[in-house]
Amino acid sequence: MGYDYSVEGTVKVTPSIPVPVLRELQQGPNLPIFCLADDADDPDAGGPWSDLVGVWALVPDSPLDFGQPITVRALAMRHTSKSTGIREPLARFVRLCLDAGHQVVSELEFHGDDGERGTIEVTPDGNIEWVETSAPGREPTRW
């Protein structure tokens, strides 16, 4: 068994990043399915299984025109998983953006099975930190 967290929100990228820089998000084991969509609530995002696999939407700057280069201004998420199932692909996205000279700002919120709530922050050096704002029965922590 394990402990699940639900995460929702966005990670904004400044300036927008070209899609080819993010190609590595489609390569490797244990990665979610990243899709191009207007946001995580887009009915086409994540396909018919989005309720089961969550949504990791690469949000383009403008309406999709596959005849033009596509740039991504944010990652919009709606996903429930173990913390590593969220942390690892998120860290990979952040690292690709930072390595390409872009800045990222996290606006992600989480809640856990036992009522914990908090935010997921990206440190200036690109690390991912979970910061509890509420933890029933104990002091909130960060990890």
Side-chain angles (χ1 to χ4, degrees), residues 7-12 105-109 119-122:
V7 176
E8 289 190 37
T10 60
V11 177
K12 294 182 179 179
V105 175
S106 175
E107 297 175 353
L108 296 172
E109 296 183 355
T119 60
I120 298 176
E121 298 178 0
V122 177

Side-chain angles (χ1 to χ4, degrees), residues 12-15 18 21-22 35-36 39 43 52 54 56 59 61 72-73 79 85 88 90 98 122-123 127-128 131 133:
K12 294 182 179 179
V13 182
T14 309
V21 174
L22 302 172
C35 61
L36 286 168
D39 63 40
L52 298 173
W56 294 68
V59 181
D61 269 331
V72 171
R73 64 179 168 88
H79 188 77
E88 290 174 12
L90 180 58
L98 294 177
V122 177
T123 65
N127 289 320
I128 306 298
V131 182
T133 55

Side-chain angles (χ1 to χ4, degrees), residues 76-91:
M77 290 176 56
R78 187 181 73 243
H79 188 77
T80 301
S81 183
K82 312 296 181 251
S83 62
T84 56
I86 296 165
R87 178 188 299 270
E88 290 174 12
L90 180 58

Side-chain angles (χ1 to χ4, degrees), residues 93-104 122-127:
F93 173 80
V94 166
R95 179 57 43 213
L96 289 170
C97 292
L98 294 177
D99 286 351
H102 300 259
Q103 295 178 343
V104 295
V122 177
T123 65
D125 60 353
N127 289 320

Side-chain angles (χ1 to χ4, degrees), residues 19-93:
V19 167
V21 174
L22 302 172
R23 186 173 326 233
E24 188 179 313
L25 293 175
Q26 300 299 325
Q27 303 165 353
N30 304 320
L31 290 175
I33 298 170
F34 289 86
C35 61
L36 286 168
D38 291 331
D39 63 40
D41 293 326
D42 183 326
D44 294 326
W49 303 105
S50 64
D51 287 346
L52 298 173
V53 299
V55 175
W56 294 68
L58 301 172
V59 181
D61 269 331
S62 55
L64 292 177
D65 175 357
F66 291 104
Q68 299 295 318
I70 300 170
T71 56
V72 171
R73 64 179 168 88
L75 168 66
M77 290 176 56
R78 187 181 73 243
H79 188 77
T80 301
S81 183
K82 312 296 181 251
S83 62
T84 56
I86 296 165
R87 178 188 299 270
E88 290 174 12
L90 180 58
R92 195 171 196 177
F93 173 80

